[in-house]
Amino acid sequence: MKERNTVYKIIFISCIAVSLVACLTGAITGGYGVAILGAIVIALLIIVNLGYGGGFSTLPALLSERFGMETISKIHGLALSAWAIAGLTGNNMSAVILNASGNNYNLILIATTILYAVALAVCLVMVGKKKKNA
């Protein structure tokens, strides 16, 4: 792909779609049919994990393209620190939502879908095309 940011757009859109399907069908909370719910939950896990792997593997290339090789170390370190903070706080956020809602897992799916939508908005609005040097 010519535009590395496209990978992130695909990741976020895929995660939003599968999270919405899981939420609307009640896949986590035991909604419609058991066999289809298992397939939806497995698809959710696979797509989200593929997104993490794809995002992690393309991050250095995207950062070097956007910010140049001279600053890649600092910016990559900041990005990985943010990733670590998200990993540490995500489980706590889930626990707070579960405790406040009486173990309603659909609210966790809604919260993660909103976070994916915010990430997609940032990806669409704030990450512009690489500027060519004149």
Side-chain angles (χ1 to χ4, degrees):
M1 284 182 210
K2 282 187 165 183
E3 183 65 31
R4 296 188 199 281
N5 193 30
T6 305
V7 172
Y8 288 92
K9 292 173 188 171
I10 292 169
I11 290 169
F12 296 140
I13 290 170
S14 300
C15 289
I16 289 168
V18 74
S19 294
L20 283 175
V21 167
C23 187
L24 294 174
T25 60
I28 302 290
T29 57
Y32 301 114
V34 174
I36 190 72
L37 296 182
I40 292 171
V41 170
I42 290 171
L44 174 68
L45 293 172
I46 288 171
I47 290 174
V48 168
N49 284 319
L50 285 173
Y52 279 116
F56 191 80
S57 65
T58 58
L59 184 63
L62 176 71
L63 293 176
S64 68
E65 181 181 277
R66 298 287 180 225
F67 301 105
M69 287 304 290
E70 59 278 349
T71 59
I72 184 75
S73 297
K74 294 176 195 171
I75 295 176
H76 194 242
L78 287 171
L80 291 180
S81 296
W83 204 308
I85 290 169
L88 291 171
T89 58
N91 291 331
N92 294 331
M93 181 190 79
S94 296
V96 167
I97 292 171
L98 284 175
N99 289 335
S101 68
N103 291 336
N104 186 352
Y105 283 90
N106 272 339
L107 290 179
I108 293 175
L109 284 174
I110 292 168
T112 55
T113 303
I114 290 169
L115 291 173
Y116 282 127
V118 168
L120 179 62
V122 167
C123 203
L124 292 171
V125 175
M126 296 182 77
V127 180
K129 300 251 185 219
K130 181 182 174 188
K131 293 179 180 157
K132 304 228 181 211
N133 293 333

